[in-house]
Amino acid sequence: EYMAMQRPVVASRLDSVAAYAPEGSILFFESGNDAELADCLRRAARHPEELDRQVEAASRFYETHRWNREREVYLANYRDLA
């Protein structure tokens, strides 16, 4: 949702998220590491230009994976099964 709203994303580096989102589109921290989360938030506050690049990367990613495009992929796969 944050990508769709063109907002910076800070997220725990879970395999399911890291595998899906390209590097540079999310500020990742290790799950359960409060100090690393705090570092990410400080870096974000100190380097707004980095956040701008992140938002741009996330927006490009979102545009290629939004539902109106992914729907066609799912439907084509479904048709192939029939």
Side-chain angles (χ1 to χ4, degrees):
E1 292 84 15
Y2 285 100
M3 286 181 180
M5 296 185 308
Q6 297 184 335
R7 298 290 182 254
V9 178
V10 177
S12 179
R13 186 182 295 280
L14 301 175
D15 290 342
S16 59
V17 177
Y20 189 65
E23 194 65 37
S25 63
I26 294 178
L27 276 174
F28 282 116
F29 65 94
E30 292 303 318
S31 182
N33 188 332
D34 298 344
E36 194 170 320
L37 170 58
D39 287 343
C40 280
L41 295 175
R42 278 191 289 273
R43 188 173 74 220
R46 291 179 182 146
H47 302 283
E49 71 285 350
E50 184 179 324
L51 288 183
D52 291 340
R53 287 191 299 272
Q54 175 195 334
V55 168
E56 288 173 18
S59 294
R60 285 190 304 272
F61 173 75
Y62 172 75
E63 285 303 317
T64 61
H65 290 85
R66 58 190 306 169
W67 176 244
N68 65 344
R69 293 175 191 247
E70 291 293 316
R71 177 185 60 216
E72 296 306 318
V73 173
Y74 280 96
L75 290 174
N77 288 333
Y78 179 75
R79 283 185 218 107
D80 288 345
L81 292 174

